[in-house]
Amino acid sequence: MKKFITQTGKLLPLDQANIDTDQIIPKQFLQKTERVGFAQHLFHDWRYLDDHGNIPNPEFVLNQPEYKGASVLLARENFGCGSSREHAPWALQEYGFKVIIAPSFADIFYGNCINIGVLPIILTDAQVNELFLFAEKNVLTIDVNLENKIIQVNDKAFSFDIKEVHQKSLLKGVDSIGKSLHRLDQIQAFEQTMPAWL
Amino acid sequence: MALTLYDKLWQRNLVEQQDGETPLIYVNRHLIHEVTSPQAFAGLRFHGRQLRHPERTFATMDHNISTRSIAIDAAGKSAANQLATLEKNCAEFGVTLFGMGHKNQGIVHVIGPELGLTLPGTVIVCGDSHTATHGAFGALAFGIGTSEVEHVFATQTLRQNKAKSMKIQINGKVGDGISAKDIILAIIGKTGSAGAAGHIVEYCGEAIEALSMEQRMTICNMSIEFGAKAGLVAPDEITFTYLEGRDYSPKGKLWDQAIADWKTLKTDPDAEFDRVLIMEAAEIKPQVTWGTSLDQVVAIDGNVPHPDSYDDAVEKDSCAKALQYMGLTAGTKISDINISHVFIGSCTNSRIEDLRAAANTIQGQQVSKDVTAIVVPGSYRVKEQAEKEGLDEIFIEAGFEWRLPGCSMCLAMNDDVLKEGERCASTSNRNFEGRQGRGSRTHIVSPELAAAAAIAGRLIEPALLN
């Protein structure tokens, strides 16, 4: 996993609550057996007017030229709810999003982001509202510093909380499987204690 | 200290909790399917890692398969590639696969319980959010992402933080004709679609204890739809009776040991939960979702709400967007909404009791000429049982299509897809935009209500069908 240190990038405001993983990457694009090739289908049904993804929907914020190259996504509560498909954060990451800001995330989606090196930032409703208001006026450039747990926009700083273990994992780009394999002795000892009916 | 059922499940499956690290928990059963596993197998191969316990891992094909044919290529080329990849991966890593046409094949959350793979006290994971289903047995069961699938493959463990606990107690008895689906939809209507985020929910109370295992599965299945990490029901005699003699259930002496163990799996009387919600069963009516999120739900005798009925600006906006997507006008009576399709199936409602309830609702009547209705049993075992009971004939004579098992139109990954503007009364679990096909409109209901809607051509309370 790539290390996450700081990120300065354009913020894309997507003003909607309960954005589910079916919206992020619809099921017809889940038939791949690789981890790549999902970015072009990100938000497909909102992003394209046709089923083949040839005609961009000019109304959809992702297609507006001023947001080209955005790397920070701003949305409302319960982001990433629904299906556990990791294809959703894969698609966001491959498209170029390194940070997602919302008042709350669905649990599985949040864990998936941490596992692949995308930073989910939880701010309060009021802070998210403020960011949406800023974003209405200008295209925002936002500085995200995970080390200090601070984001900076329009000379205003917002601090955020993240579990230390998640912060460390993102900063170091930890291979969590390799790490757990170092605990094999403990795992094997645990297996010895399991009841016989298991 | 008094413990909740969740505390007990956590303790008995905790491998270790090192300072400054996410706790490591053991996974007793790992269920996999074709869509969320290929990249995890590829990861193992890339790192030269073994699958530690193939005997604890079981695979089926369900998401991407045709419900008209058992041919592996019947749902298209990419689907066939994904299914063939699963076959290859299972063969290479020694995983038991219930593939196309196997007598044990079916939707992963239907076959786990019916084969006795789902056992109380265990941790069960699957790369699928509806893994919460298995919590009905007092197992800690939840959906995981593909990186975590790979972690379980390599280590048979998972790194998880302990969640908070929530008790949902349903007092008293439900009224006639009220199904488990109505109970869970009423709960979600009350809590909101993220109402249990970060929590493990234990369902209890007289109305829950009275439910069969299949009904409890319907309740736990939809725990994820209001944000819960998992749902739980404490195992009891109903659980033990269900499990006894199933293919993978413990046998003989081991069965006796297991029962003695499982009887300890209940919340201590004085245990405290982080949150408690108490509801009265008698107040629950048949439920219908009208919007694009599961908390956008009302009773069948209600009306489509107006955005102005919400105080919160975000909810107001969500309501307006949902009405537009669903092609509904605020104030419309739910029972005046005409439908074009009915889907009876999915890991929520495709078990034998669901099919019996739907068949019983029809009572010799015909599907409306304006409606296309399909029944997709959850597994080959369910299908076989239904055919033994003659349910298939009841459905077919009424004008339903009787299909082969699979996830089908719940997520419409195969060719069971709705077209733009088509409106479906569905026994599945999600009414999200585009879930059943781009521009399609989904109303989530019970099997009884879906069957009644097929006959009437509109959303209708099953009791009013005649």
Side-chain angles (χ1 to χ4, degrees), chain B residues 106-126:
Chain B
I107 303 175
V108 64
H109 310 308
V110 175
I111 66 165
E114 78 183 4
L115 293 174
L117 289 167
T118 303
L119 298 175
T122 60
V123 172
I124 301 170
V125 298
C126 173

Side-chain angles (χ1 to χ4, degrees), chain B residues 38-332:
Chain B
Q39 295 86 353
F41 280 112
L44 283 185
R45 225 176 263 124
F46 178 79
H47 289 102
R49 289 171 177 152
Q50 301 295 312
L51 198 162
R52 247 193 106 227
H53 280 295
E55 80 286 2
R56 294 190 176 278
T57 315
F58 292 85
T60 188
M61 296 174 173
D62 56 4
H63 279 64
N64 218 344
I65 60 175
S66 169
T67 56
R68 299 168 197 270
S69 158
I70 62 163
I72 202 164
D73 56 355
K77 230 173 160 176
S78 323
N81 176 49
Q82 208 166 48
L83 295 167
T85 302
L86 181 66
E87 266 179 0
K88 198 175 110 237
N89 285 331
C90 287
E92 181 180 335
F93 288 93
V95 172
T96 301
L97 166 66
F98 306 128
M100 299 307 293
H102 192 287
K103 67 175 172 36
N104 292 345
Q105 192 199 358
I107 303 175
V108 64
H109 310 308
V110 175
I111 66 165
E114 78 183 4
L115 293 174
L117 289 167
T118 303
L119 298 175
T122 60
V123 172
I124 301 170
V125 298
C126 173
D128 190 288
S129 59
H130 292 111
T131 308
T133 311
H134 308 266
F137 292 79
L140 182 56
F142 50 90
I144 57 177
T146 298
S147 294
E148 293 176 305
V149 170
E150 188 179 335
H151 192 284
V152 179
F153 279 165
T155 67
Q156 206 57 38
T157 64
L158 207 52
R159 294 213 176 257
Q160 286 286 317
N161 286 298
K162 193 167 182 217
K164 292 186 190 139
S165 61
M166 179 174 182
K167 173 163 90 167
I168 298 184
Q169 181 177 318
I170 315 290
N171 290 332
K173 293 185 172 67
V174 292
D176 281 349
I178 298 302
S179 73
K181 188 66 161 287
D182 299 313
I183 298 176
I184 188 63
L185 286 173
I187 290 172
I188 299 171
K190 198 127 194 162
T191 62
S193 57
H199 289 72
I200 302 267
V201 172
E202 180 176 348
Y203 303 95
C204 60
E206 190 186 345
I208 300 294
E209 286 161 21
L211 297 175
S212 70
M213 283 319 296
E214 296 194 358
Q215 293 167 326
R216 293 177 189 183
M217 286 186 237
T218 299
I219 303 252
C220 286
N221 172 277
M222 292 189 70
S223 301
I224 185 76
E225 309 308 340
F226 60 117
K229 177 93 195 165
L232 292 171
V233 176
D236 59 10
E237 289 302 326
I238 294 173
T239 319
F240 309 149
T241 305
Y242 176 97
L243 284 173
E244 190 166 14
R246 299 212 172 241
D247 298 45
Y248 289 89
S249 292
K251 306 276 173 347
K253 235 186 218 151
L254 291 177
W255 172 255
D256 298 336
Q257 287 172 17
I259 293 276
D261 192 356
W262 296 344
K263 283 184 174 166
T264 67
L265 294 172
K266 56 178 93 165
T267 293
D268 295 333
D270 298 332
E272 285 188 17
F273 289 82
D274 295 304
R275 281 175 64 197
V276 175
L277 171 69
I278 297 175
M279 288 170 65
E280 300 302 320
E283 290 170 12
I284 298 173
K285 296 178 182 175
Q287 303 284 308
V288 179
T289 70
W290 55 265
T292 55
S293 146
L294 272 303
D295 56 351
Q296 293 176 328
V297 62
V298 286
I300 180 70
D301 60 0
N303 301 318
V304 175
H306 196 283
D308 289 343
S309 65
Y310 293 92
D311 295 330
D312 178 75
V314 174
E315 279 188 274
K316 210 187 277 279
D317 177 57
S318 296
C319 175
K321 281 177 177 153
L323 292 185
Q324 190 185 10
Y325 179 84
M326 292 295 289
L328 291 174
T329 311
T332 304

Side-chain angles (χ1 to χ4, degrees), chain A residues 15-18 20-23 27-35 38 44-52 76-78 81-87 90 104-105 107-108 111-112 115-116 163-166 168 175-181 183-184 186-188 190-191 194-198, chain B residues 12-16 18 20-22 24 26 28 35 38-39 49 52-53 56 64 78-79 81-82 85 120 122 127-129 143-148 150-151 154-155 157 159 161 193-194 198 224 227 229 250 254 257-258 261-262 293 314 318 321 411-413 430 432-438:
Chain A
D15 195 352
Q16 182 143 342
N18 297 314
D20 57 76
T21 52
D22 275 87
Q23 294 319 316
K27 68 271 178 170
Q28 64 268 35
F29 307 112
L30 303 185
Q31 294 180 329
K32 292 184 171 65
T33 55
E34 305 86 28
R35 271 181 189 245
F38 298 104
H44 179 276
D45 288 3
W46 290 342
R47 188 170 160 195
Y48 301 106
L49 295 171
D50 64 322
D51 288 343
H52 300 290
R76 299 282 182 181
E77 69 211 35
N78 201 23
C81 61
S83 158
S84 62
R85 58 188 72 162
E86 198 167 302
H87 312 66
W90 291 340
S104 59
F105 291 88
D107 290 338
I108 304 176
N112 286 342
N115 284 332
I116 68 166
K163 276 201 165 74
E164 202 183 323
V165 60
H166 291 158
K168 261 193 334 204
D175 165 22
S176 70
I177 296 177
K179 200 166 113 181
S180 295
L181 281 172
R183 311 304 294 171
L184 257 190
Q186 286 73 20
I187 297 169
Q188 278 164 349
F190 177 87
E191 285 172 337
M194 281 172 19
W197 58 264
L198 258 173
Chain B
R12 64 194 279 144
N13 292 295
L14 181 67
V15 174
E16 65 169 355
Q18 289 175 280
E21 297 290 352
T22 306
L24 197 61
Y26 198 76
N28 303 104
V35 179
Q39 295 86 353
R49 289 171 177 152
R52 247 193 106 227
H53 280 295
R56 294 190 176 278
N64 218 344
S78 323
N81 176 49
Q82 208 166 48
T85 302
T122 60
D128 190 288
S129 59
I144 57 177
T146 298
S147 294
E148 293 176 305
E150 188 179 335
H151 192 284
T155 67
T157 64
R159 294 213 176 257
N161 286 298
S193 57
I224 185 76
K229 177 93 195 165
L254 291 177
Q257 287 172 17
D261 192 356
W262 296 344
S293 146
V314 174
S318 296
K321 281 177 177 153
L411 83 165
M413 215 178 149
R430 289 193 174 128
F432 299 167
E433 278 186 33
R435 175 80 177 176
Q436 297 190 299
R438 187 176 188 166

